[in-house]
Amino acid sequence: MEVMTTAPAPLPAVSTAPAPVWARRAAHAIALCAVPSGLWRIAMASGVYVGYSDEVLRDVFDIPGWGIAYVVGLSVVAEVAALFPLLLVSDRWRPLRPRTLAALAWTASAVLVLVALGQLVAAFTVESQTYMSSGTAQTVWGFAFAPLFAIPALMTAVTWSYTKRHRAQGQV
């Protein structure tokens, strides 16, 4: 008795247009925008003077103590999250559900806009300014955190590009 086996038909290759150069650059810029604030936080956790007195570090940030793990962990999580847009411009990685990824990217863009607005409010409140000494430390803090405010616009642009490319192929 002869048993016939048939190989399953290969899945059709889904090809989408490659991400435009500007979208790739924007995705990489997002990852780079998170670096200065992360380095500033790690310096704070390491005991480098960043503008806070020892009393503020101890009482407000619990440094030394669990605050070190929190501050370093926050830096790591922020940088990993900043790498997410690279998935949206990758030619090597194809999601099984482009719609889901697009929805997640649009949600992330909206959350980033809201967080940026909240951070602007927090940066100019009386409480946040009373902890840090004025002068050079505050200027360094400003330069370290300023790039974060570019991330919502960059993320929205990268998300728009991803959605446009996949919609043109009928996948989103």
Side-chain angles (χ1 to χ4, degrees):
M1 175 179 215
E2 187 176 323
V3 177
M4 295 194 51
T5 60
T6 59
L11 295 173
V14 176
S15 65
T16 58
V21 174
W22 68 263
R24 290 179 188 278
R25 288 184 180 156
H28 284 85
I30 291 169
L32 292 175
C33 283
V35 172
S37 61
L39 293 175
W40 184 90
R41 283 190 211 97
I42 290 170
M44 182 173 86
S46 300
V48 174
Y49 178 73
V50 293
Y52 294 122
S53 68
D54 289 339
E55 182 182 352
V56 169
L57 287 173
R58 187 179 54 255
D59 297 342
V60 176
F61 297 105
D62 196 23
I63 295 175
W66 284 103
I68 293 172
Y70 170 74
V71 168
V72 171
L74 180 62
S75 297
V76 170
V77 168
E79 192 57 45
V80 168
L83 295 174
F84 168 72
L86 294 174
L87 294 175
L88 300 175
V89 297
S90 174
D91 290 333
R92 296 181 186 163
W93 183 77
R94 299 282 183 227
L96 295 175
R97 299 176 187 250
R99 269 184 218 248
T100 304
L101 185 59
L104 179 63
W106 281 116
T107 302
S109 294
V111 167
L112 286 168
V113 168
L114 293 174
V115 168
L117 292 173
Q119 289 301 308
L120 276 174
V121 170
F124 293 108
T125 62
V126 175
E127 183 178 338
S128 67
Q129 290 187 5
T130 58
Y131 290 139
M132 183 172 285
S133 65
S134 60
T136 305
Q138 203 165 29
T139 302
V140 169
W141 174 84
F143 280 120
F145 282 85
L148 293 178
F149 291 106
I151 291 177
L154 292 169
M155 181 65 186
T156 301
V158 171
T159 301
W160 176 79
S161 172
Y162 175 83
T163 304
K164 182 180 172 190
R165 285 183 296 118
H166 285 79
R167 187 171 288 152
Q169 299 295 326
Q171 297 172 3
V172 174

